[in-house]
Amino acid sequence: MEIPQALEALGPVRPITCVEMHTAGEPTRIIWNNIPPLTGTLLEQRAQAKSQFDEFRRVLMLEPRGHYDMYGAILRPETELVSSGQAHIGVLFMHNEGFSTMCGHATIALGRFLVDVDERVFPRRRELRYDTLSRTTTLNLHVPCGVVEVIVPTLESGKSDASRPVSFVSVPSFATAIGLQVPVPEKYRWAELRGRTAVTVDFAYGGAYYCMVSAEELGFSCGLGEVKLQDMEHATKLLKEAVVTNPDLQYLAQDMRTAEEGFLYGIMITDTRLGHVSALEGTAAARAQLDVGSEETGLCFFANQQIDRSPTGSCVAARVALARTKGTLPSGEKRMYNSLVTRAYRGLSGFVGSVFEDTDTNGGDGSVRICVEGYAYYTGYHSFVVEKEDGLGVDGFSVRDIAL
């Protein structure tokens, strides 16, 4: 892709080129050139990005080039798993707070993008194989939590087919707590608790760790049918602080197989009463067309209280694993997961989640790999520049942080 003529006059200023996409309304800014020098394993590259080049994230995620809820993906053509042949390319994910371990919506967008580009952007593009029967192309994507398999519907031209959903198969996912009463100290209580000192929640992992809590349990009796974003943001922020500051709850973000410690990435507010297929569609024929047995809606606050417009792909993996452990998702059944956006705009589709395979080899951790399906679309292309004289744009800013 050529640099627009308007930028050529800037001379030595090196533009950062990005393709913009959205998955169920959630943005993904894909960056592939003029990236800071990152070396070593993918996790070492992530650590370098966090400790040495965080201004790169801030420049592209925050204002004036982004916004508080922007999301980004940095392509990493060389990682240890690419070198060993286990993956075709790597990626680092970033948001308003830092760098995450997994991102489902971005993975869906990356699937289309990586099938559509050539070797100049994706050096191992020619290694991908097209399946004539399913008319799909499969690639292995190295993400910080492992390798996910991405299946991309593909046209005869070799380009991605936007009319069919991209799917990915998650890393092993599992529940870490079911029906746990989390104590809420007085300094973390919100008004809707109405004197309660604890809330009942579930915890699960789908490439990142999530806490699932019903809207009613948070104190919002109308569920997500009556959304009070500011109040819900406040409640989930305090609940997250009550969890992460409690040393007795550290095990909730710990891999049961490896004992590796993680971090609580997000709080998902769920409403299983809102968005059931039978209520929305009304007919058996419509249910069959969707190819799902049930449907639910959620609102996710992740990172530094960033609101996910999509149903949150890695949390869908966590929720399916949780439902499998609870016994509330029958074997072989697919479930539609909606966000507030996909529920409000009927032209958008939620994410479909289902169990792909059991990975519980130890007879007790209940881990499964989840298939998540969704649609991603292109929205544009950017060539960003950073002038050293620009005291505001050289680091990025957030109006919200100023207000706080």
Side-chain angles (χ1 to χ4, degrees):
M1 298 180 180
E2 296 182 357
I3 300 172
Q5 289 185 347
L7 296 180
E8 292 180 355
L10 292 173
V13 177
R14 300 173 62 194
I16 303 169
T17 49
C18 314
V19 160
E20 310 286 326
M21 301 184 72
H22 84 85
T23 311
E26 179 72 2
T28 302
R29 176 164 288 167
I30 303 171
I31 308 106
W32 72 85
N33 78 331
N34 289 334
I35 295 165
L38 303 173
T39 59
T41 67
L42 186 63
L43 290 181
E44 288 170 346
Q45 293 180 42
R46 180 172 176 262
Q48 289 173 22
K50 291 170 64 176
S51 63
Q52 301 176 34
F53 303 107
D54 195 52
E55 71 279 1
F56 184 80
R57 175 191 65 84
R58 292 177 57 84
V59 159
L60 292 173
M61 295 295 97
L62 303 181
E63 299 180 56
R65 299 168 191 85
H67 54 81
Y68 198 77
D69 295 312
M70 177 54 72
Y71 202 95
I74 304 173
L75 295 186
R76 305 307 304 140
E78 296 298 331
T79 76
E80 74 278 18
L81 297 188
V82 173
S83 298
S84 68
Q86 298 177 63
H88 295 104
I89 193 170
V91 64
L92 294 177
F93 300 119
M94 58 185 182
H95 44 67
N96 68 4
E97 185 180 44
F99 296 83
S100 54
T101 54
M102 175 56 190
C103 180
H105 91 270
T107 295
I108 290 170
L110 283 163
R112 285 199 64 198
F113 174 78
L114 291 170
V115 165
D116 290 340
V117 296
D118 59 25
E119 291 80 3
R120 291 174 294 177
V121 175
F122 182 10
R124 295 178 183 259
R125 172 64 181 84
R126 290 185 182 273
E127 297 179 11
L128 304 186
R129 293 293 176 260
Y130 173 72
D131 183 278
T132 55
L133 186 62
S134 63
R135 295 178 293 130
T136 60
T137 301
T138 300
L139 65 96
N140 292 329
L141 184 66
H142 185 189
V143 300
C145 66
V147 175
V148 295
E149 183 181 276
V150 190
I151 302 94
V152 185
T154 309
L155 301 168
E156 290 184 3
S157 64
K159 298 300 182 182
S160 65
D161 182 357
S163 68
R164 293 184 286 153
V166 175
S167 62
F168 71 87
V169 179
S170 74
V171 297
S173 304
F174 47 84
T176 58
I178 295 175
L180 179 70
Q181 278 218 326
V182 172
V184 182
E186 186 175 358
K187 63 179 177 179
Y188 296 132
R189 292 173 195 163
W190 52 96
E192 289 77 13
L193 278 180
R194 296 178 178 86
R196 287 186 294 141
T197 60
V199 293
T200 303
V201 302
D202 301 320
F203 289 85
Y205 175 81
Y209 290 92
Y210 292 93
C211 169
M212 270 66 74
V213 58
S214 71
E216 294 87 348
E217 185 65 20
L218 278 181
F220 299 94
S221 59
C222 294
L224 291 175
E226 181 182 332
V227 181
K228 300 179 179 180
L229 272 181
Q230 186 172 357
D231 295 338
M232 289 179 171
E233 190 276 337
H234 180 64
T236 54
K237 181 178 181 179
L238 290 174
L239 174 58
K240 189 174 184 179
E241 290 179 358
V243 173
V244 300
T245 58
N246 187 335
D248 294 334
L249 302 180
Q250 289 182 356
Y251 74 95
L252 297 169
Q254 180 172 296
D255 193 319
M256 295 177 294
R257 302 161 304 160
T258 64
E260 180 180 350
E261 291 188 3
F263 57 93
L264 182 58
Y265 185 49
I267 305 286
M268 171 65 78
I269 305 176
T270 61
D271 192 334
T272 57
R273 303 174 308 174
L274 189 66
H276 194 276
V277 173
S278 61
L280 281 176
E281 307 300 339
T283 67
R287 180 190 290 268
Q289 184 177 6
L290 286 170
D291 192 29
V292 294
S294 56
E295 187 169 351
E296 65 181 59
T297 298
L299 169 61
C300 185
F301 293 89
F302 69 96
N304 190 12
Q305 293 302 102
Q306 191 165 332
I307 298 175
D308 200 333
R309 276 69 173 161
S310 83
T312 312
S314 55
C315 193
V316 166
R319 290 160 80 184
V320 173
L322 178 66
R324 176 63 177 268
T325 303
K326 284 183 168 184
T328 58
L329 184 65
S331 179
E333 181 178 300
K334 294 183 177 182
R335 178 169 291 169
M336 175 74 78
Y337 292 88
N338 275 315
S339 66
L340 295 181
V341 173
T342 64
R343 178 173 168 78
Y345 295 93
R346 301 310 294 171
L348 291 177
S349 174
F351 292 169
V352 175
S354 58
V355 174
F356 179 77
E357 68 174 356
D358 288 315
T359 54
D360 182 359
T361 58
N362 297 324
D365 67 8
S367 62
V368 288
R369 295 177 72 202
I370 308 302
C371 179
V372 180
E373 306 171 48
Y375 293 84
Y377 304 99
Y378 292 96
T379 58
Y381 166 82
H382 272 114
S383 284
F384 290 113
V385 296
V386 180
E387 295 183 284
K388 65 179 184 299
E389 297 86 0
D390 181 2
L392 185 65
V394 74
D395 189 45
F397 70 95
S398 166
V399 171
R400 176 170 171 163
D401 289 342
I402 295 172
L404 291 175

